[in-house]
Amino acid sequence: MSKVVLSYSGGLDTTVCIPLLREKYGFDEVVTVTVDIGQPEKDVKEAEERGKKYSDKHYTIDAKKEFVDALFTLIKANGDYEGYVLGTSIARPIIAKKTAEIAIEEKADAIAHGCTGKGNDQLRFENIFMQYGFKVIAPMRELNLTREWEIDYARKKGIEIKVSKEKPWSIDENLWSRSIEGGKLEDPSFPPLEEIFEWTVSPEKAPDQPEVIKIDFERGIPVALNDERMKGYELIRKLNEVGGKHGVGRTDMMEDRVLGLKARENYEHPAATILLTAHIDLERLILSRRELKFKKFVEEEWAELVYYGLTNDPLYDALNVFIDKTQERVTGWVKVKLFKGSAIPIARFSEYALYSEELTSFDTTTIDQRLAEGYSAFHGLQGRLYREIMKRKD
Ligand code: ARG
């Protein structure tokens, strides 16, 4: 008896994989695994129903808590790859780990996924599957299938199809972001249609009145919204709602995939935009100039590891130790104004602020300004010497 565990979303690609794994790869048993990372509940339910219907055994695993913990790490690192908030990227290793754990339990011979050979997800999944010692099967990549063929094959196998010709988008959704690719969007000169968005209204249609919200952070992690303490999952959900209402968090961008292919991506991520904006603002009040400068460099490395699906690299752990050290003081609050697509910090407070009104104010005499004279005498000394030498040489 040979058995394969399939990472299962319920969509066309992964559903077509089920009969393919039996017929083309000769597996006796196909077990499907769907991991809940805060995608819409109806998607999880539907994947469960389809998994039960078409595979031999189905598992639905709740990883929302683990995913929120990963998002907290992301917030502390101001997670951003080329302007993308890394929603899909940071979810993949968690999905892969949960799937591998089921494969161990099921004593499976291999793990399969439905990723193509052109994207990043194949790399992120397989890195983790191999870490657990599994042989990897990627039918979409290995069999070089076209959508037409898949639809035809699905019909023959009695699989219900939900993709329509008019809405051919490839969508990936979780608590942090919603990504929309494919169809006409593959032409970068084609502006996104309003119909691709589900979490956000268009900024033009957002309310004419701004809304100010307050977010409390403790050690770099958001803990309260408008003075009401809440768990991360609930807080992010609420911010997606309120931010979406104001048209906050749309991104239309060109992205450099790991393989070197450029891709046109559309995303929506209201909570991510609000939380990252607020967190960056609070850090600027608290961290030293040198911490901020060095952390930017660390963040760049951090984001690349996450985008590449290399969070099992020892460097990832080391960077997080540095980041956590800086976050020990990132406690305080930020007020953010939401208005027609923008999220702008307008007030902030922390007991750890390095800012001192007493020292900086135009209206105080705590600092004897004459002391700056000596500093100023040396400031730019080498530049002035250089200019003088060059003038003499002319
Ligand atoms: N470009 C993003 C990433 O690589 C999102 C990919 C979304 N995947 C999808 N199957 N639609 O993380």
Side-chain angles (χ1 to χ4, degrees):
M1 276 291 278
S2 59
K3 194 190 277 188
V4 62
V5 164
L6 169 67
S7 178
Y8 188 65
S9 72
L12 177 68
D13 289 345
T14 51
T15 308
V16 160
C17 280
I18 300 170
L20 280 175
L21 286 165
R22 293 189 187 116
E23 289 177 4
K24 303 251 177 205
Y25 292 88
F27 284 101
D28 300 307
E29 214 178 311
V30 181
V31 177
T32 44
V33 179
T34 300
V35 182
D36 182 354
I37 40 161
Q39 64 271 49
E41 257 168 56
K42 68 165 188 10
D43 290 7
V44 179
K45 275 257 137 11
E46 198 172 289
E48 184 167 89
E49 278 161 24
R50 284 165 72 85
K52 282 183 176 154
K53 189 160 158 197
Y54 302 121
S55 79
D56 299 292
K57 188 172 182 185
H58 177 85
Y59 287 85
T60 301
I61 308 292
D62 183 352
K64 293 200 283 282
K65 169 84 178 59
E66 239 166 282
F67 189 50
V68 169
D69 286 344
L71 294 179
F72 282 167
T73 306
L74 184 151
I75 293 167
K76 291 192 270 189
N78 296 323
D80 172 332
Y81 174 82
E82 298 185 344
Y84 160 47
V85 297
L86 293 165
T88 300
S89 325
I90 197 150
R92 294 309 191 197
I94 296 173
I95 297 173
K97 176 171 166 261
K98 294 289 174 194
T99 308
E101 281 168 4
I102 296 296
I104 292 168
E105 207 178 301
E106 285 283 335
K107 299 192 173 49
D109 303 289
I111 303 184
H113 64 71
C115 307
T116 70
K118 292 188 179 176
N120 300 317
D121 290 333
Q122 52 176 341
L123 310 171
R124 298 169 180 151
F125 274 140
E126 293 179 16
N127 180 23
I128 302 303
F129 294 158
M130 288 188 282
Q131 181 186 309
Y132 283 86
F134 283 101
K135 178 178 154 51
V136 178
I137 295 175
M140 293 297 124
R141 183 175 69 194
E142 288 155 14
L143 303 173
N144 228 342
L145 307 175
T146 64
R147 212 126 243 248
E148 310 287 274
W149 188 92
E150 281 181 42
I151 291 173
D152 242 34
Y153 182 72
R155 283 221 179 89
K156 265 191 235 144
K157 295 288 145 195
I159 290 168
E160 201 188 321
I161 305 162
K162 304 167 305 163
V163 267
S164 71
K165 282 248 153 60
E166 309 81 64
K167 286 191 181 177
W169 323 120
S170 163
I171 290 163
D172 185 64
E173 200 167 348
N174 60 45
L175 182 64
W176 199 234
S177 69
R178 181 167 177 273
S179 101
I180 314 105
E181 303 173 321
K184 290 192 208 134
L185 295 170
E186 287 177 348
D187 174 0
S189 70
F190 181 82
L193 300 165
E194 208 38 53
E195 68 174 57
I196 69 167
F197 299 107
E198 274 184 13
W199 292 12
T200 53
V201 302
S202 97
E204 293 95 317
K205 295 221 175 92
D208 292 326
Q209 287 308 312
E211 181 167 349
V212 175
I213 56 169
K214 181 184 176 203
I215 301 159
D216 270 88
F217 288 87
E218 277 173 21
R219 297 178 150 244
I221 289 169
V223 293
L225 173 60
N226 296 332
D227 293 320
E228 190 188 332
R229 277 190 91 86
M230 53 184 88
K231 288 245 185 323
Y233 185 79
E234 195 191 347
L235 191 137
I236 295 169
R237 271 248 180 281
K238 282 236 158 83
L239 284 178
N240 274 332
E241 226 168 84
V242 57
K245 197 176 80 187
H246 288 278
V248 168
R250 286 187 179 184
T251 304
D252 178 357
M253 64 181 284
M254 295 306 299
E255 183 176 303
D256 290 287
R257 288 190 187 158
V258 179
L259 293 180
L261 294 168
K262 281 192 185 287
R264 194 277 185 90
E265 301 281 351
N266 273 274
Y267 299 108
E268 5 181 34
H269 42 76
T273 296
I274 295 168
L275 288 169
L276 293 172
T277 302
H279 182 258
I280 289 168
D281 187 74
L282 191 60
E283 279 189 330
R284 297 199 66 82
L285 178 68
I286 296 165
L287 301 188
S288 77
R289 177 204 302 199
R290 285 174 209 291
E291 274 182 296
L292 286 169
K293 185 173 159 204
F294 190 72
K295 186 166 181 280
K296 251 203 152 62
F297 171 70
V298 170
E299 286 168 2
E300 187 90 18
E301 288 295 314
W302 187 97
E304 200 168 292
L305 286 174
V306 171
Y307 188 78
Y308 279 55
L310 298 176
T311 50
N312 55 354
D313 194 288
L315 179 62
Y316 185 68
D317 293 344
L319 296 182
N320 281 325
V321 171
F322 167 79
I323 292 169
D324 277 340
K325 183 69 196 164
T326 64
Q327 300 301 297
E328 283 175 1
R329 290 136 52 220
V330 182
T331 295
W333 56 255
V334 180
K335 286 183 183 171
V336 181
K337 182 157 91 176
L338 310 176
F339 183 59
K340 293 202 180 285
S342 70
I344 298 171
I346 54 164
R348 71 285 294 154
F349 170 81
S350 171
E351 284 175 13
Y352 296 93
L354 288 186
Y355 172 77
S356 161
E357 189 172 349
E358 180 60 31
L359 293 180
T360 312
S361 171
F362 291 110
D363 306 323
T364 56
T365 53
T366 323
I367 285 182
D368 181 350
Q369 293 187 45
R370 286 166 297 189
L371 290 175
E373 263 174 47
Y375 190 106
S376 184
F378 289 95
H379 191 66
L381 179 65
Q382 295 191 346
R384 293 198 296 276
L385 287 170
Y386 162 74
R387 296 285 157 187
E388 207 176 295
I389 290 163
M390 294 317 280
K391 206 154 75 194
R392 260 190 273 134
K393 295 268 177 213
D394 274 348

